[in-house]
Amino acid sequence: MAVYLSVIAMVLLGTLALGLVRVWRGPTPGDRMASVLLGGTTGVALLLILAAIEGSCSTLDTALVLAVLAPVLTVAFVAARRRPGPGEADHG
């Protein structure tokens, strides 16, 4: 079973690497943010797999905390993007 989980972890690491390329290249801030969120989800999945392989409760707790923090990051990004800049009127 651990071999299968290790293979899945390697595939997830590959998708994480591809996501980092998207963060680096863009082209828009929304694309970068979506890639960061995908990377966070992949990181949570990796931590869950590592917790299953090792049988570690602390790794499981870390994965759950990161999963709870992801929506906070999304809300902060949207709030920052909606904030009017200097000289712009706030239309609600």
Coordinates of all heavy atoms in Angstrom, one line a residue:
M1 N 0.8 -1.2 0.0 CA 0.0 0.0 0.0 C 0.9 1.3 0.0 O 0.5 2.2 -0.6 CB -0.9 0.0 1.2 CG -1.9 1.1 1.3 SD -3.1 1.0 0.0 CE -4.3 2.1 0.5
A2 N 2.0 1.2 0.7 CA 2.8 2.4 0.8 C 3.5 2.7 -0.6 O 3.7 3.9 -0.9 CB 3.9 2.2 1.8
V3 N 3.7 1.7 -1.4 CA 4.2 1.9 -2.7 C 3.3 2.7 -3.6 O 3.6 3.7 -4.3 CB 4.6 0.6 -3.4 CG1 5.0 0.8 -4.8 CG2 5.7 -0.1 -2.6
Y4 N 2.0 2.4 -3.5 CA 1.0 3.1 -4.3 C 0.9 4.5 -3.8 O 0.7 5.5 -4.6 CB -0.4 2.4 -4.2 CG -0.4 1.0 -4.8 CD1 -0.7 -0.1 -4.0 CD2 -0.1 0.9 -6.1 CE1 -0.7 -1.4 -4.6 CE2 -0.1 -0.4 -6.7 CZ -0.4 -1.5 -5.9 OH -0.4 -2.7 -6.5
L5 N 0.9 4.7 -2.5 CA 0.8 6.1 -2.0 C 2.0 6.9 -2.3 O 1.9 8.1 -2.6 CB 0.6 6.0 -0.4 CG -0.7 5.5 0.1 CD1 -0.7 5.4 1.6 CD2 -1.9 6.4 -0.4
S6 N 3.2 6.3 -2.4 CA 4.4 7.0 -2.8 C 4.3 7.4 -4.3 O 4.7 8.5 -4.7 CB 5.6 6.1 -2.6 OG 5.8 5.8 -1.3
V7 N 3.7 6.5 -5.1 CA 3.6 6.9 -6.5 C 2.6 8.1 -6.7 O 2.9 9.0 -7.5 CB 3.1 5.7 -7.4 CG1 2.7 6.1 -8.8 CG2 4.2 4.6 -7.4
I8 N 1.5 8.0 -5.9 CA 0.6 9.1 -6.0 C 1.2 10.4 -5.5 O 1.0 11.5 -6.1 CB -0.7 8.8 -5.1 CG1 -1.5 7.7 -5.8 CG2 -1.6 10.0 -5.0 CD1 -2.6 7.1 -4.9
A9 N 2.1 10.3 -4.5 CA 2.8 11.5 -4.0 C 3.7 12.1 -5.0 O 3.8 13.3 -5.2 CB 3.6 11.1 -2.7
M10 N 4.4 11.2 -5.8 CA 5.2 11.7 -6.9 C 4.4 12.4 -8.0 O 4.9 13.4 -8.5 CB 6.1 10.5 -7.5 CG 7.1 10.0 -6.5 SD 8.3 11.2 -6.1 CE 9.3 10.3 -5.0
V11 N 3.3 11.8 -8.3 CA 2.4 12.5 -9.3 C 2.0 13.9 -8.8 O 2.0 14.9 -9.6 CB 1.2 11.6 -9.7 CG1 0.2 12.3 -10.5 CG2 1.7 10.3 -10.4
L12 N 1.6 13.9 -7.6 CA 1.2 15.2 -7.0 C 2.3 16.2 -7.0 O 2.1 17.4 -7.2 CB 0.6 15.0 -5.6 CG -0.7 14.4 -5.5 CD1 -1.1 14.1 -4.1 CD2 -1.8 15.2 -6.2
L13 N 3.6 15.8 -6.7 CA 4.7 16.6 -6.7 C 4.9 17.2 -8.2 O 5.3 18.4 -8.3 CB 6.0 15.9 -6.3 CG 6.1 15.8 -4.7 CD1 7.3 14.9 -4.4 CD2 6.3 17.2 -4.1
G14 N 4.7 16.4 -9.2 CA 4.8 16.8 -10.5 C 3.8 17.9 -10.9 O 4.1 18.9 -11.5
T15 N 2.5 17.7 -10.4 CA 1.5 18.7 -10.7 C 1.8 20.0 -9.9 O 1.5 21.1 -10.4 CB 0.1 18.2 -10.3 OG1 0.1 17.9 -8.9 CG2 -0.3 17.0 -11.1
L16 N 2.4 19.9 -8.7 CA 2.8 21.0 -8.0 C 3.9 21.8 -8.7 O 3.9 23.0 -8.8 CB 3.3 20.6 -6.6 CG 3.6 21.7 -5.6 CD1 2.3 22.5 -5.3 CD2 4.1 21.1 -4.3
A17 N 4.8 21.1 -9.3 CA 5.9 21.8 -10.1 C 5.3 22.5 -11.3 O 5.7 23.6 -11.6 CB 6.9 20.7 -10.5
L18 N 4.3 21.9 -12.0 CA 3.7 22.5 -13.1 C 2.9 23.8 -12.6 O 2.9 24.8 -13.3 CB 2.8 21.6 -13.8 CG 3.4 20.4 -14.6 CD1 2.4 19.5 -15.1 CD2 4.3 21.0 -15.7
G19 N 2.3 23.7 -11.5 CA 1.6 24.8 -10.9 C 2.5 26.0 -10.6 O 2.2 27.2 -10.8
L20 N 3.7 25.7 -10.1 CA 4.7 26.7 -9.8 C 5.1 27.4 -11.1 O 5.4 28.6 -11.1 CB 5.9 26.1 -9.1 CG 5.7 25.7 -7.7 CD1 6.9 25.0 -7.1 CD2 5.3 26.9 -6.8
V21 N 5.2 26.7 -12.2 CA 5.5 27.3 -13.5 C 4.4 28.3 -13.8 O 4.7 29.5 -14.3 CB 5.7 26.3 -14.6 CG1 5.7 26.9 -16.0 CG2 6.9 25.4 -14.4
R22 N 3.1 28.0 -13.6 CA 2.0 28.9 -13.9 C 2.1 30.1 -13.0 O 1.8 31.2 -13.4 CB 0.7 28.2 -13.7 CG -0.5 29.0 -13.9 CD -0.5 29.8 -15.2 NE -0.5 29.0 -16.4 CZ -0.2 29.4 -17.6 NH1 0.0 30.7 -17.8 NH2 -0.2 28.6 -18.6
V23 N 2.5 29.9 -11.7 CA 2.6 31.1 -10.8 C 3.7 32.0 -11.4 O 3.5 33.2 -11.3 CB 3.0 30.6 -9.4 CG1 3.4 31.8 -8.5 CG2 1.8 29.9 -8.8
W24 N 4.8 31.5 -11.8 CA 5.9 32.3 -12.3 C 5.5 33.0 -13.6 O 5.9 34.2 -13.8 CB 7.1 31.4 -12.5 CG 8.3 32.1 -13.0 CD1 9.0 33.2 -12.3 CD2 9.1 31.9 -14.1 NE1 10.0 33.6 -13.1 CE2 10.1 32.8 -14.2 CE3 8.9 31.0 -15.2 CZ2 11.0 32.8 -15.2 CZ3 9.8 31.0 -16.2 CH2 10.9 31.9 -16.2
R25 N 4.9 32.3 -14.5 CA 4.6 32.9 -15.9 C 3.3 33.7 -15.9 O 3.2 34.6 -16.8 CB 4.5 31.8 -16.9 CG 5.9 31.1 -17.1 CD 5.9 30.1 -18.1 NE 5.7 30.8 -19.4 CZ 5.2 30.2 -20.5 NH1 4.9 28.9 -20.4 NH2 5.0 30.8 -21.6
G26 N 2.4 33.5 -15.1 CA 1.1 34.3 -15.2 C 0.1 33.8 -16.1 O -0.2 32.6 -16.1
P27 N -0.5 34.5 -16.9 CA -0.2 35.9 -17.3 C -1.0 36.9 -16.5 O -0.6 38.1 -16.4 CB -0.7 36.0 -18.8 CG -1.8 35.0 -18.8 CD -1.4 33.9 -17.9
T28 N -2.0 36.6 -15.8 CA -2.8 37.5 -15.0 C -2.7 37.2 -13.5 O -2.4 36.0 -13.2 CB -4.3 37.6 -15.4 OG1 -4.9 36.3 -15.1 CG2 -4.4 37.8 -16.9
P29 N -2.9 38.2 -12.7 CA -3.0 37.8 -11.2 C -4.0 36.8 -10.9 O -3.7 36.0 -10.0 CB -3.3 39.2 -10.6 CG -2.9 40.2 -11.5 CD -3.1 39.6 -12.9
G30 N -5.1 36.7 -11.6 CA -6.1 35.7 -11.3 C -5.6 34.3 -11.6 O -5.9 33.4 -10.9
D31 N -4.8 34.2 -12.7 CA -4.2 32.9 -13.0 C -3.2 32.5 -12.0 O -3.2 31.3 -11.6 CB -3.5 33.0 -14.4 CG -4.5 33.1 -15.5 OD1 -5.6 32.7 -15.4 OD2 -4.1 33.7 -16.6
R32 N -2.5 33.5 -11.5 CA -1.5 33.1 -10.5 C -2.1 32.7 -9.2 O -1.7 31.8 -8.5 CB -0.6 34.4 -10.3 CG 0.4 34.6 -11.4 CD 1.3 35.8 -11.1 NE 2.3 35.9 -12.1 CZ 2.4 36.9 -13.0 NH1 1.5 37.8 -13.0 NH2 3.4 36.9 -13.9
M33 N -3.2 33.4 -8.8 CA -3.9 33.1 -7.6 C -4.6 31.7 -7.7 O -4.5 30.9 -6.8 CB -5.0 34.1 -7.3 CG -5.6 33.9 -6.0 SD -4.4 34.1 -4.7 CE -5.2 33.4 -3.4
A34 N -5.2 31.4 -8.9 CA -5.7 30.0 -9.0 C -4.7 29.0 -8.9 O -4.9 27.9 -8.3 CB -6.4 30.0 -10.4
S35 N -3.5 29.2 -9.5 CA -2.4 28.3 -9.4 C -1.9 28.1 -7.9 O -1.6 27.0 -7.5 CB -1.3 28.7 -10.3 OG -0.3 27.7 -10.2
V36 N -1.9 29.2 -7.2 CA -1.5 29.1 -5.8 C -2.5 28.3 -5.0 O -2.1 27.5 -4.1 CB -1.3 30.5 -5.2 CG1 -1.3 30.5 -3.7 CG2 -0.1 31.2 -5.7
L37 N -3.8 28.5 -5.3 CA -4.8 27.7 -4.6 C -4.7 26.2 -4.9 O -4.9 25.4 -4.1 CB -6.2 28.3 -4.9 CG -6.5 29.6 -4.3 CD1 -7.8 30.2 -4.8 CD2 -6.5 29.5 -2.8
L38 N -4.5 25.9 -6.2 CA -4.3 24.6 -6.6 C -3.1 24.0 -5.9 O -3.1 22.8 -5.5 CB -4.1 24.5 -8.1 CG -3.9 23.1 -8.7 CD1 -5.0 22.2 -8.4 CD2 -3.6 23.1 -10.2
G39 N -2.0 24.8 -5.8 CA -0.8 24.3 -5.1 C -1.1 24.0 -3.6 O -0.6 23.1 -3.1
G40 N -1.9 24.9 -3.0 CA -2.3 24.6 -1.6 C -3.1 23.3 -1.5 O -2.9 22.6 -0.5
T41 N -4.0 23.1 -2.4 CA -4.8 21.9 -2.4 C -3.9 20.7 -2.6 O -4.1 19.6 -1.9 CB -5.9 21.9 -3.4 OG1 -6.7 23.1 -3.2 CG2 -6.8 20.7 -3.4
T42 N -3.0 20.8 -3.5 CA -2.0 19.7 -3.7 C -1.1 19.5 -2.5 O -0.9 18.3 -2.2 CB -1.2 20.0 -5.0 OG1 -2.0 20.3 -6.1 CG2 -0.2 18.9 -5.3
G43 N -0.7 20.5 -1.9 CA 0.1 20.4 -0.6 C -0.7 19.7 0.5 O -0.1 18.9 1.2
V44 N -2.0 20.0 0.6 CA -2.8 19.3 1.6 C -2.9 17.9 1.2 O -2.8 17.0 2.1 CB -4.2 20.0 1.7 CG1 -5.2 19.1 2.5 CG2 -4.1 21.4 2.3
A45 N -3.1 17.5 0.0 CA -3.2 16.1 -0.4 C -1.9 15.4 -0.2 O -1.9 14.3 0.3 CB -3.5 16.0 -1.9
L46 N -0.7 16.1 -0.4 CA 0.6 15.5 -0.1 C 0.7 15.2 1.4 O 1.2 14.1 1.8 CB 1.7 16.3 -0.6 CG 2.0 16.3 -2.1 CD1 2.9 17.4 -2.5 CD2 2.7 14.9 -2.4
L47 N 0.3 16.2 2.2 CA 0.4 16.0 3.6 C -0.5 14.8 4.1 O -0.1 14.1 5.0 CB 0.1 17.3 4.3 CG 1.2 18.4 4.3 CD1 0.7 19.7 4.9 CD2 2.4 17.9 5.0
L48 N -1.6 14.7 3.5 CA -2.5 13.6 3.9 C -1.9 12.3 3.5 O -2.0 11.3 4.3 CB -3.9 13.8 3.3 CG -4.7 15.0 3.8 CD1 -6.0 15.1 3.0 CD2 -5.1 14.7 5.3
I49 N -1.3 12.2 2.4 CA -0.7 11.0 1.9 C 0.5 10.6 2.8 O 0.7 9.5 3.3 CB -0.3 11.0 0.5 CG1 -1.5 11.0 -0.4 CG2 0.7 9.9 0.1 CD1 -1.3 11.2 -1.9
L50 N 1.3 11.6 3.2 CA 2.4 11.4 4.1 C 2.0 11.0 5.5 O 2.6 10.1 6.1 CB 3.3 12.7 4.2 CG 4.1 13.0 3.0 CD1 4.9 14.3 3.2 CD2 5.1 11.9 2.7
A51 N 0.8 11.5 5.9 CA 0.3 11.1 7.2 C -0.2 9.7 7.2 O 0.0 8.9 8.1 CB -0.9 12.0 7.6
A52 N -0.7 9.2 6.0 CA -1.1 7.9 5.9 C 0.1 6.9 5.8 O 0.0 5.8 6.4 CB -2.0 7.7 4.6
I53 N 1.2 7.3 5.1 CA 2.3 6.5 5.1 C 3.0 6.4 6.4 O 3.4 5.3 6.8 CB 3.3 7.1 4.0 CG1 2.7 6.9 2.6 CG2 4.7 6.4 4.1 CD1 3.6 7.6 1.5
E54 N 3.2 7.5 7.1 CA 3.9 7.5 8.4 C 3.1 7.2 9.6 O 3.6 6.8 10.6 CB 4.5 8.9 8.6 CG 5.6 9.3 7.5 CD 6.0 10.7 7.7 OE1 5.4 11.5 8.5 OE2 7.0 11.1 7.0
G55 N 1.8 7.4 9.4 CA 0.9 7.2 10.6 C 1.0 8.3 11.6 O 0.9 8.2 12.8
S56 N 1.3 9.5 11.1 CA 1.6 10.7 11.9 C 0.4 11.6 12.1 O -0.2 12.1 11.1 CB 2.7 11.5 11.3 OG 2.9 12.7 12.0
C57 N 0.0 11.8 13.3 CA -1.2 12.6 13.6 C -0.9 14.1 13.4 O -1.7 14.9 13.0 CB -1.7 12.4 15.0 SG -2.5 10.8 15.2
S58 N 0.4 14.5 13.7 CA 0.7 15.9 13.6 C 0.7 16.3 12.1 O 0.4 17.5 11.8 CB 2.1 16.2 14.2 OG 3.1 15.4 13.6
T59 N 1.1 15.4 11.2 CA 1.1 15.8 9.8 C -0.4 15.9 9.3 O -0.7 16.8 8.5 CB 1.8 14.7 8.9 OG1 3.1 14.5 9.5 CG2 1.9 15.1 7.5
L60 N -1.2 15.1 9.8 CA -2.7 15.2 9.5 C -3.2 16.5 10.0 O -4.0 17.2 9.3 CB -3.4 14.0 10.1 CG -4.9 14.0 9.9 CD1 -5.2 13.8 8.5 CD2 -5.5 12.8 10.7
D61 N -2.9 16.9 11.2 CA -3.3 18.2 11.8 C -2.8 19.3 10.9 O -3.6 20.3 10.7 CB -2.9 18.3 13.2 CG -3.5 17.4 14.2 OD1 -4.6 16.8 13.8 OD2 -3.0 17.2 15.3
T62 N -1.6 19.3 10.5 CA -1.0 20.3 9.7 C -1.8 20.5 8.3 O -2.1 21.6 7.9 CB 0.5 20.1 9.4 OG1 1.2 20.0 10.6 CG2 1.1 21.2 8.5
A63 N -2.1 19.3 7.7 CA -2.9 19.3 6.5 C -4.3 20.0 6.7 O -4.8 20.8 5.9 CB -3.1 17.9 6.0
L64 N -4.9 19.7 7.8 CA -6.2 20.2 8.1 C -6.2 21.7 8.3 O -7.1 22.5 7.9 CB -6.9 19.5 9.3 CG -7.2 18.0 9.0 CD1 -7.7 17.3 10.3 CD2 -8.2 17.9 7.9
V65 N -5.2 22.2 9.0 CA -5.0 23.6 9.3 C -4.8 24.4 7.9 O -5.4 25.4 7.7 CB -3.8 23.9 10.2 CG1 -3.5 25.4 10.2 CG2 -4.2 23.4 11.6
L66 N -4.0 23.8 7.0 CA -3.8 24.4 5.7 C -5.0 24.4 4.9 O -5.3 25.4 4.2 CB -2.7 23.7 5.0 CG -1.2 23.9 5.5 CD1 -0.3 23.1 4.7 CD2 -0.9 25.4 5.5
A67 N -5.8 23.4 5.0 CA -7.1 23.3 4.3 C -8.1 24.4 4.8 O -8.9 25.0 4.0 CB -7.7 21.9 4.4
V68 N -8.0 24.7 6.1 CA -8.9 25.7 6.7 C -8.4 27.1 6.3 O -9.3 28.0 6.1 CB -9.0 25.6 8.2 CG1 -9.7 26.7 8.8 CG2 -9.7 24.3 8.5
L69 N -7.1 27.3 6.1 CA -6.6 28.6 5.8 C -6.8 29.0 4.3 O -6.7 30.2 4.0 CB -5.1 28.7 6.2 CG -4.8 28.8 7.7 CD1 -3.3 28.7 7.9 CD2 -5.5 30.0 8.3
A70 N -7.0 28.1 3.4 CA -7.1 28.3 2.0 C -8.3 29.3 1.7 O -8.1 30.2 0.9 CB -7.2 27.0 1.2
P71 N -9.5 29.1 2.2 CA -10.5 30.0 1.9 C -10.2 31.5 2.4 O -10.7 32.4 1.8 CB -11.8 29.5 2.6 CG -11.4 28.0 2.8 CD -10.0 27.9 3.0
V72 N -9.5 31.6 3.5 CA -9.1 32.9 4.0 C -8.2 33.6 3.0 O -8.4 34.8 2.7 CB -8.4 32.8 5.4 CG1 -7.9 34.1 5.9 CG2 -9.3 32.1 6.4
L73 N -7.3 32.9 2.4 CA -6.5 33.4 1.4 C -7.3 33.9 0.2 O -7.0 35.0 -0.4 CB -5.4 32.4 0.9 CG -4.5 32.8 -0.2 CD1 -3.6 33.9 0.3 CD2 -3.7 31.6 -0.6
T74 N -8.2 33.1 -0.2 CA -9.1 33.5 -1.4 C -9.9 34.8 -1.1 O -9.9 35.7 -1.9 CB -10.1 32.3 -1.7 OG1 -9.3 31.1 -1.9 CG2 -10.9 32.6 -2.9
V75 N -10.5 34.8 0.1 CA -11.2 36.0 0.4 C -10.3 37.3 0.5 O -10.7 38.3 0.0 CB -12.0 35.8 1.8 CG1 -12.6 37.1 2.3 CG2 -13.1 34.7 1.6
A76 N -9.1 37.1 1.0 CA -8.2 38.3 1.1 C -7.8 38.7 -0.3 O -7.7 39.9 -0.6 CB -7.0 37.9 1.9
F77 N -7.6 37.8 -1.2 CA -7.2 38.1 -2.6 C -8.3 38.9 -3.3 O -8.1 39.9 -3.9 CB -6.8 36.9 -3.4 CG -6.5 37.1 -4.8 CD1 -5.3 37.7 -5.2 CD2 -7.5 36.8 -5.8 CE1 -5.0 37.9 -6.5 CE2 -7.2 37.1 -7.1 CZ -6.0 37.6 -7.5
V78 N -9.5 38.4 -3.1 CA -10.7 39.0 -3.8 C -10.9 40.4 -3.2 O -11.2 41.4 -3.9 CB -12.0 38.1 -3.7 CG1 -13.2 38.9 -4.1 CG2 -11.8 36.9 -4.5
A79 N -10.8 40.5 -1.9 CA -11.0 41.8 -1.2 C -10.0 42.8 -1.7 O -10.2 44.0 -1.9 CB -11.0 41.7 0.3
A80 N -8.7 42.4 -1.9 CA -7.7 43.3 -2.3 C -7.8 43.7 -3.7 O -7.5 44.8 -4.1 CB -6.3 42.6 -2.1
R81 N -8.4 42.8 -4.6 CA -8.6 43.1 -6.0 C -9.8 44.1 -6.2 O -9.8 44.8 -7.2 CB -8.8 41.8 -6.8 CG -7.7 40.9 -6.8 CD -6.5 41.3 -7.6 NE -6.9 41.4 -9.0 CZ -6.2 42.0 -9.9 NH1 -5.1 42.6 -9.6 NH2 -6.7 42.1 -11.2
R82 N -10.7 44.0 -5.3 CA -11.9 44.9 -5.4 C -11.7 46.3 -4.8 O -12.5 47.1 -5.0 CB -13.1 44.2 -4.8 CG -13.5 42.9 -5.5 CD -14.7 42.4 -5.0 NE -15.8 43.2 -5.4 CZ -17.1 43.0 -5.2 NH1 -17.4 41.9 -4.5 NH2 -18.0 43.8 -5.6
R83 N -10.7 46.4 -4.1 CA -10.4 47.7 -3.4 C -10.1 48.8 -4.5 O -9.2 48.5 -5.3 CB -9.2 47.6 -2.5 CG -9.0 48.8 -1.6 CD -7.9 48.6 -0.6 NE -8.3 47.5 0.3 CZ -7.4 46.6 0.7 NH1 -6.2 46.7 0.4 NH2 -7.8 45.6 1.4
P84 N -10.8 49.9 -4.5 CA -10.5 50.9 -5.6 C -9.1 51.6 -5.4 O -8.7 51.8 -4.2 CB -11.6 51.9 -5.4 CG -12.1 51.7 -4.0 CD -11.9 50.3 -3.7
G85 N -8.5 51.8 -6.5 CA -7.2 52.5 -6.4 C -7.3 54.0 -6.2 O -8.4 54.5 -6.2
P86 N -6.2 54.7 -6.2 CA -6.3 56.2 -6.0 C -7.0 56.8 -7.3 O -6.7 56.5 -8.4 CB -4.8 56.6 -6.0 CG -4.0 55.4 -5.9 CD -4.9 54.2 -6.2
G87 N -7.9 57.7 -7.0 CA -8.6 58.4 -8.1 C -9.8 57.6 -8.6 O -10.4 58.1 -9.5
E88 N -10.0 56.4 -8.2 CA -11.2 55.6 -8.7 C -12.3 55.7 -7.7 O -12.1 55.7 -6.5 CB -10.8 54.1 -8.8 CG -9.7 53.9 -9.9 CD -9.3 52.4 -10.0 OE1 -10.0 51.6 -9.4 OE2 -8.3 52.2 -10.6
A89 N -13.5 55.8 -8.2 CA -14.7 55.8 -7.3 C -15.1 54.4 -7.0 O -15.0 53.5 -7.8 CB -15.8 56.5 -8.1
D90 N -15.6 54.3 -5.7 CA -16.1 53.0 -5.3 C -17.6 52.9 -5.6 O -18.4 53.6 -5.1 CB -15.9 52.9 -3.8 CG -16.3 51.5 -3.3 OD1 -16.5 50.6 -4.1 OD2 -16.4 51.3 -2.0
H91 N -17.9 52.1 -6.6 CA -19.3 51.9 -7.0 C -20.0 50.8 -6.4 O -21.1 50.4 -6.8 CB -19.3 51.7 -8.6 CG -18.8 52.9 -9.3 ND1 -19.4 54.1 -9.3 CD2 -17.6 53.0 -10.0 CE1 -18.6 54.9 -10.1 NE2 -17.5 54.3 -10.5
G92 N -19.6 50.3 -5.2 CA -20.3 49.4 -4.5 C -20.0 48.0 -4.7 O -20.4 47.1 -4.3

